[in-house]
Amino acid sequence: MALHRTTRASAGAYRMLALGIGVAVLLLFIVTSHSSDDQQQNSIRKQADDHKSLALAYASYARKLKLENSKLVRVFADLSRNYTDLVTKPSYHALSESDSVSIDESTLRKFEKEVKERIKMTRQVIAEAKESFDNQLKIQKLKDTIFAVNEQLTKAKKQGAFSSLIAAKSIPKSLHCLAMRLMEERIAHMEKYDVEGKPLPPEIEDPKLYHYAIFSDNVLAASVVVNSATKNAKEPWKHVFHVVTDKMNLGAMQVMFKLKDYNGAHIEVKAVEDYKFLNSSYVPVLKQLESANLQKFYFENKLENATKDTTNMKFRNPKYLSILNHLRFYLPEMYPKLHRILFLDDDIVVQKDLTGLWKIDMDGKVNGAVETCFGSFHRYAQYMNFSHPLIKEKFNPKACAWAYGMNFFDLDAWRREKCTEEYHYWQNLNENRTLWKLGTLPPGLITFYSTTKPLDKSWHVLGLGYNPSIGMEEIRNAAVVHFNGNMKPWLDIAMNQFRPLWSKYVDYDLEFVQSCNFGL
């Protein structure tokens, strides 16, 4: 209602303005028609007529726009009253009633002066109000505002992405506590957990059993993988888990897997450093880590550097050049007596017996994996630089990508195809990151380009660490669910609807887990 009254007041003000100007022009015409100075009267009449038309045009446009600027409305209304007051002023009113003989020349000049003053005032008001009517000016101001807001949005997105990355990659206090408590137990009872010098159980190298490889520095996550696999296995005593961690977490990992028997499954815990062949003279990743440029890229601790490229910010994480992350390319050498092995990431949960994988005919292929492409998404073009001539020559950009996380490897076929050598060749070429960004999936896609056998999608359902729209029916039918993405189930930022799938395999009854307040 208030807006309607304002609009009507605005329109009325413009009508008054137009009427006032019209009357003034009419009077001027009457007066000056009797004057002997034709040039003067024509000039006054033309100026008044021009500004009358201009004011009417702006008044008409203002009505169309339903001008809501109350200050401008008041200014126009005051201007209209000024014209009306001028016309009805007693000293000038006589001009319209007098004949040509009795016209006072000084009064006429004074009248002319006041008309010009009001014309000047009208021009000033129109100039000030021009911003409200000039579409081009409005468009430019709007563009400037949009640009400024977009700049702020881009900056906020970068800061948000950086904060999200920090939240995803930081170690929660409870997880750090667990590792420290387990390490304390390891130091306090050295003889109980020391395996050095003891003979290796024969099951560890028995190729007739079901072997798994888990490479992790996360004690709790690794225990959940083993716990979920053994609880869902039909014959858990036939399953062997090869857990490899770094030297810092070795003690804690040894204690964790000694605290219970995991339904009779066999568990080997080793450190990366125990594999002596993994050194910088043989492993390209370790050699590249000695590069000053690469160290600067990863370890230069500057916020502006971390956030200047939001899209690829995550690849600046040093874990992508961690040897623990690249161990998957050395499975045949790490386990020379084995024929087949199942590689599992530490952010997965096993929901069904997996022995069916060992019954699959691999057709001579090396890597059994679930493909992730659909439409134009998750094709090779998204992971590699196809502007590089080598990549363009060797690979099809539309080739379907597959997922790491649950991969069944035929180690005999691997040795026959010399896949590790292939990996070394391409990793050496990519020292300056021109072929692909970083991580293990691009070199995996390259290494196993023509030696991957697609598995049924129900074996491995991905996305529980970033995609809230995954259906529960799909999850229930999956043999393995994968929390790939930033929202890991052990973090506070995990998605609540998926967290129970992981947390039900955490051993909350263990004293060390309870003392670190997990689940609170």
Side-chain angles (χ1 to χ4, degrees):
M1 182 65 75
L3 178 60
H4 183 62
R5 286 198 298 270
T6 304
T7 304
R8 286 191 301 175
S10 174
Y14 292 126
R15 284 196 294 271
M16 291 173 65
L17 173 62
L19 179 61
I21 293 176
V23 172
V25 172
L26 179 61
L27 287 173
L28 283 169
F29 175 74
I30 294 172
V31 172
T32 56
S33 64
H34 300 290
S35 174
S36 58
D37 191 346
D38 290 337
Q39 186 177 0
Q40 182 182 18
Q41 65 171 304
N42 288 338
S43 176
I44 295 173
R45 183 171 63 180
K46 187 176 186 307
Q47 290 179 44
D49 191 51
D50 289 346
H51 286 82
K52 168 197 145 185
S53 300
L54 193 59
L56 285 173
Y58 274 94
S60 175
Y61 194 48
R63 283 195 297 273
K64 289 180 182 179
L65 293 178
K66 297 183 178 179
L67 189 64
E68 296 174 23
N69 191 321
S70 58
K71 181 179 179 182
L72 196 56
V73 170
R74 287 195 299 271
V75 170
F76 276 124
D78 290 343
L79 188 61
S80 177
R81 282 193 295 272
N82 284 342
Y83 275 104
T84 304
D85 292 345
L86 179 65
V87 172
T88 58
K89 197 173 183 179
S91 58
Y92 299 143
H93 185 67
L95 290 173
S96 61
E97 298 177 350
S98 302
D99 56 25
S100 60
V101 178
S102 60
I103 289 176
D104 187 347
E105 191 70 24
S106 62
T107 302
L108 179 60
R109 283 196 297 272
K110 188 177 180 182
F111 184 58
E112 178 186 0
K113 180 181 178 182
E114 292 199 34
V115 168
K116 288 185 176 180
E117 286 176 351
R118 278 154 181 75
I119 288 174
K120 182 180 179 181
M121 188 184 301
T122 302
R123 289 175 177 174
Q124 289 176 342
V125 171
I126 289 173
E128 292 172 1
K130 186 176 182 181
E131 186 178 320
S132 300
F133 305 107
D134 191 331
N135 283 339
Q136 286 301 115
L137 187 60
K138 280 186 172 183
I139 290 170
Q140 187 57 49
K141 286 193 70 176
L142 185 59
K143 285 181 177 178
D144 293 343
T145 302
I146 291 172
F147 179 79
V149 171
N150 278 335
E151 287 287 298
Q152 292 176 346
L153 180 61
T154 301
K155 185 178 180 181
K157 281 183 176 180
K158 286 182 178 181
Q159 291 176 339
F162 184 71
S163 299
S164 176
L165 191 66
I166 292 296
K169 305 306 176 186
S170 298
I171 301 175
K173 185 185 294 185
S174 54
L175 198 59
H176 182 71
C177 165
L178 179 61
M180 293 300 101
R181 295 283 182 134
L182 292 170
M183 195 63 198
E184 183 181 28
E185 168 70 10
R186 175 72 171 81
I187 295 171
H189 303 92
M190 297 281 289
E191 71 289 342
K192 183 178 178 181
Y193 302 103
D194 193 7
V195 295
E196 194 171 333
K198 294 182 180 180
L200 197 67
E203 293 85 359
I204 299 300
E205 295 182 330
D206 188 349
K208 296 178 182 178
L209 300 181
Y210 304 107
H211 292 262
Y212 302 77
I214 304 167
F215 308 140
S216 174
D217 58 2
N218 186 325
V219 178
L220 190 65
S223 71
V224 166
V225 175
V226 176
N227 213 16
S228 63
T230 54
K231 283 188 176 182
N232 290 291
K234 294 176 181 178
E235 298 175 306
W237 55 88
K238 291 185 178 180
H239 296 252
V240 183
F241 296 88
H242 303 270
V243 179
V244 182
T245 186
D246 52 33
K247 201 72 173 177
M248 186 174 70
N249 289 285
L250 178 61
M253 203 75 80
Q254 288 174 332
V255 174
M256 190 68 179
F257 288 107
K258 283 279 189 178
L259 292 176
K260 56 181 288 186
D261 68 354
Y262 291 93
N263 297 325
H266 309 280
I267 303 171
E268 176 192 41
V269 179
K270 297 184 76 171
V272 175
E273 291 79 3
D274 293 331
Y275 298 94
K276 303 303 181 184
F277 70 91
L278 296 173
N279 52 64
S280 59
S281 63
Y282 178 65
V283 179
V285 164
L286 293 178
K287 184 179 180 181
Q288 289 166 13
L289 272 176
E290 297 174 353
S291 163
N293 288 336
L294 207 61
Q295 288 179 17
K296 182 178 180 181
F297 178 81
Y298 278 108
F299 302 108
E300 192 176 50
N301 187 24
K302 291 184 179 180
L303 178 62
E304 62 270 23
N305 288 342
T307 59
K308 65 185 178 183
D309 186 359
T310 310
T311 304
N312 299 311
M313 186 199 313
K314 67 178 183 177
F315 295 115
R316 299 182 72 93
N317 193 316
K319 84 160 195 171
Y320 287 104
L321 271 187
S322 164
I323 184 58
L324 201 60
N325 208 37
H326 285 255
L327 282 182
R328 63 194 72 189
F329 294 105
Y330 300 96
L331 290 170
E333 293 160 281
M334 295 172 70
Y335 310 107
K337 295 184 179 180
L338 300 183
H339 304 302
R340 290 185 169 190
I341 196 167
L342 181 63
F343 168 78
L344 297 175
D345 267 342
D346 64 359
D347 56 353
I348 64 99
V349 170
V350 179
Q351 300 188 130
K352 295 182 180 180
D353 182 83
L354 299 179
T355 55
L357 288 166
W358 276 261
K359 299 173 184 176
I360 293 175
D361 183 358
M362 291 289 286
D363 298 322
K365 304 293 186 181
V366 176
N367 171 34
V370 169
E371 293 183 330
T372 55
C373 62
F374 61 97
S376 61
F377 296 98
H378 297 287
R379 303 284 177 178
Y380 269 49
Q382 292 180 264
Y383 299 96
M384 301 166 212
N385 177 19
F386 273 86
S387 63
H388 195 287
L390 270 177
I391 295 292
K392 187 176 182 180
E393 178 188 353
K394 296 286 186 180
F395 306 101
N396 179 2
K398 295 182 180 179
C400 188
W402 44 266
Y404 265 130
M406 190 212 75
N407 302 82
F408 188 71
F409 290 109
D410 185 329
L411 300 183
D412 291 333
W414 184 316
R415 297 178 185 105
R416 184 179 66 248
E417 297 291 338
K418 298 183 178 179
C419 293
T420 300
E421 289 86 341
E422 183 78 359
Y423 160 70
H424 281 177
Y425 170 76
W426 289 100
Q427 189 69 47
N428 281 320
L429 288 176
N430 195 49
E431 183 175 0
N432 52 5
R433 304 178 302 280
T434 57
L435 304 184
W436 66 84
K437 291 299 182 182
L438 289 156
T440 54
L441 182 55
L445 295 174
I446 288 174
T447 301
F448 306 112
Y449 176 56
S450 58
T451 58
T452 296
K453 180 180 177 65
L455 300 180
D456 187 276
K457 292 187 182 296
S458 63
W459 281 111
H460 184 192
V461 170
L462 298 104
L464 278 70
Y466 70 89
N467 183 6
S469 63
I470 302 173
M472 292 309 296
E473 184 67 23
E474 184 181 5
I475 290 174
R476 278 191 292 270
N477 292 332
V480 168
V481 291
H482 194 172
F483 289 83
N484 57 311
N486 283 340
M487 300 179 193
K488 302 299 185 188
W490 54 83
L491 299 175
D492 291 336
I493 61 174
M495 285 183 274
N496 292 328
Q497 70 268 37
F498 299 145
R499 193 199 298 266
L501 299 169
W502 181 86
S503 59
K504 71 179 181 179
Y505 293 108
V506 175
D507 289 311
Y508 291 108
D509 55 334
L510 291 179
E511 175 191 347
F512 300 104
V513 174
Q514 291 177 359
S515 64
C516 290
N517 299 321
F518 275 99
L520 296 181

